[in-house]
Amino acid sequence: MVYIVISMVVILLVAGAVVVYAAYPHRGRKVPAVPWLGEAMGRAADAAPVLPEEEHRDHGHGPLLSESLRRDTNR
């Protein structure tokens, strides 16, 4: 029973961190209540490896996702 409670608390903390990241640092804004958390998330995002633009293609099988989204919104 204790294992399940601890697991659920960890899951909720991770989900909360994802929501905070998507709402603030990912959009270039500061986290209002805990600025140190936003700074830490920003540093972690900057340290994460990112594929160059040409490697986003589906190995020649289709357009970039951003290109297909851009076409859909321009209709």
Side-chain angles (χ1 to χ4, degrees):
M1 180 68 176
V2 173
Y3 176 74
I4 293 173
V5 171
I6 292 172
S7 298
M8 291 304 295
V9 169
V10 169
I11 289 169
L12 289 174
L13 289 174
V14 170
V18 169
V19 168
V20 169
Y21 175 75
Y24 295 101
H26 180 68
R27 296 180 180 183
R29 298 183 180 160
K30 293 185 178 187
V31 181
V34 282
W36 58 268
L37 180 62
E39 292 171 7
M41 287 181 170
R43 284 193 306 268
D46 290 341
V50 179
L51 292 174
E53 188 67 31
E54 63 271 359
E55 293 184 24
H56 283 261
R57 295 192 185 275
D58 189 21
H59 301 289
H61 299 292
L64 290 172
L65 178 60
S66 59
E67 291 173 358
S68 63
L69 290 174
R70 218 175 295 127
R71 280 195 304 258
D72 291 341
T73 57
N74 290 334
R75 291 182 186 179

